[in-house]
Amino acid sequence: MSRIKRNTTLQTISVLFVLVMLAMGCSQQESASNGNEAGTSTAAPKEQAITVAWLRDIGPLNPHVYYPSQLFAQSMLYEPLVSYNEGGELKPLLAESWVISTDGKEYTFKLRQDVKFADGTPFNAAIVQKNFDAIMLNKSVHSWIGLVKVLEKTEAVDEFTFKITLTAPYYPTLQDLAIVRPFRFLAEAGFPDDGDTTKDIKQPIGTGPWQLADYKKDEYAVFTRNPNYWGEMPKLDKITVKIIPDGETRVLAFEKGELDLIFGEGAISMDAFQQLKDSGKYETGLSEPVGTRSLLLNTLNDKLADHRVRLALQQGFDKATMVDGVTGGLEEAANNILSKNYPYSNIDFEPIGYDVAKANAYLDEAGWKLEAGKTVREKDGQQLELELMYDKGDLIQKAMAETIQSGWAEIGVKLNLNAVELAMIPQRLREGTFDIHFWFNYGVPYDPHTLINSVREPGFGISEAHSSLPMKAELDEQIVTALASTDEAERQQLYTSILKTLNEQSVILPISYIKQTVVYQKNLKNFKFPASRWDHPFEGLELNP
């Protein structure tokens, strides 16, 4: 090969080498650029966002009032002074410590000094007192809470010391302060100009781990992390709550992957829960008993004022078979108004079981006769006809109502079923315009003290439903003494007597011990039911990497 030819060949190879190296460099730069966009270690982490379902709109999220605001959503935004934990343990939250006077009438709280509201404004004794003042403006609405009845004075002692004074000792004070509403705290910017939160609030701003970022009534609500949260930040960045009233539609959306999680009581049917569990495609969970599903019989109705009629109704349907059939064995039949895992409630009572012969005998004795050829008992020309009011949106109540209707028909009782919007039920209870109603106790940290107080305190339908009991005055006196007692042994003795009377009188007919259900996609982890029945279940929840 000639020198000229050899040099030309070398030049050509050199040029090709340079071109290849340039191409490789560009490719590496492009690859690095694409890698950053794709989420390598140099890219921003992927947003941790989930979508959950709820059966009704979350409401205005006013921390000081009740329905239509939904408890789980209120608990995402607002926090209490004291938190209720597993096993009934009360721990500091917004209050880092407290001192109770020897006479049980004064509670002095030392507040945390590192807390801010979601809008960045400080949390201190002054804003705590402003919230308490707003709550007490609406005192009559909150009188079912024992603390409200005995709360005499509040005082911001200094910037981070808050004190309450009671008219009488009230042992469940800390438990009442731990409930979701009304003793939680709204920022200054959320208050209306006149300070009266009874009417409305300007915006829902709390100290909690979440803030409301977007909302469209009856469609959705979007919660994002509170950037000023003083505690451990949630693992999730965003939670979207889709409002889906129909249970079957919720299940279909979940199976399509449009929802990550469905939780709560009656959110889906027990059959659907069992099917999703059996499929093996999803994670499922069942809580410990959180309350007792019961029937409340209104003794203002002359028919139900007769103890024999109430006993007949309790013994006139097969509770155990119904509970097993409707809930697929996920709930257990209840013999006591409160399950034994509540404070002061680990008591054995003689169960009032299913016995058609006894039910018929009680009704005969009460003068309600079943004439030949008739299906409904009569007395003085009047039929033994009653109405059962139940929550229109609760699938379990509907199924149980139909079963009870069939069972009572066999003993000559005509039961009419009335599906009522949830918003209307409290009004009908207060007015006493019902015969029988599906009712449940509030759960911890409310009970057992709130249950017995509601039996004594008029205005909410429970006391009125018991008003025809011959021992009502004595029962009320025992309740007052129990709530004020500072002696543990005396308190247990009083609770035993009170709960024994309530179980025997059959104004509240226990049906089953309620459990919460959850179904969620396998990309979620660390789900845990909250210690308190009504708090949100998102603490610690995160997506799998």
Side-chain angles (χ1 to χ4, degrees), residues 120-132:
T121 56
F123 172 81
N124 52 37
I127 195 66
V128 170
Q129 181 164 14
K130 182 166 185 172
N131 275 264
F132 266 78

Side-chain angles (χ1 to χ4, degrees), residues 318-329 331-333 400 511-512:
D318 189 347
K319 176 169 53 181
T321 300
M322 178 188 74
V323 171
D324 187 63
V326 173
T327 73
E331 292 185 7
E332 57 185 289
M400 287 186 172
I511 293 177
S512 64

Side-chain angles (χ1 to χ4, degrees), residues 21 33 39 115 123 157 189 210 230 242 260 270 317-318 354-355 375 404 407 410 428 434 443 467 474 503 538:
M21 292 304 292
S33 174
V115 178
F123 172 81
V157 178
W210 300 95
W230 61 275
K242 292 183 69 174
D260 296 288
M270 291 296 184
F317 70 101
D318 189 347
Y354 176 52
D355 192 323
T375 58
I404 294 168
E410 293 182 14
R428 290 193 60 178
F434 73 99
S467 60
E474 179 186 352
N503 274 277
F538 305 124

Side-chain angles (χ1 to χ4, degrees), residues 2-21:
S2 70
R3 181 179 295 174
I4 295 174
K5 196 169 187 178
R6 186 169 59 250
N7 289 342
T8 301
T9 302
L10 290 172
Q11 289 172 357
T12 302
I13 292 171
S14 298
V15 169
L16 288 172
F17 178 78
V18 170
L19 290 173
V20 169
M21 292 304 292

Side-chain angles (χ1 to χ4, degrees), residues 456-506:
R456 178 186 68 91
E457 182 64 38
F460 302 94
I462 315 304
S463 177
E464 290 82 352
H466 288 81
S467 60
S468 297
L469 299 186
M471 72 294 293
K472 181 64 163 60
E474 179 186 352
L475 188 62
D476 288 351
E477 186 178 337
Q478 285 184 317
I479 292 169
V480 170
T481 305
L483 295 176
S485 176
T486 56
D487 183 279
E488 188 71 20
E490 178 191 38
R491 204 183 295 156
Q492 179 63 70
Q493 184 179 11
L494 286 163
Y495 266 110
T496 299
S497 177
I498 294 164
L499 292 174
K500 183 175 185 291
T501 299
L502 294 178
N503 274 277
E504 289 175 348
Q505 288 301 310
S506 298

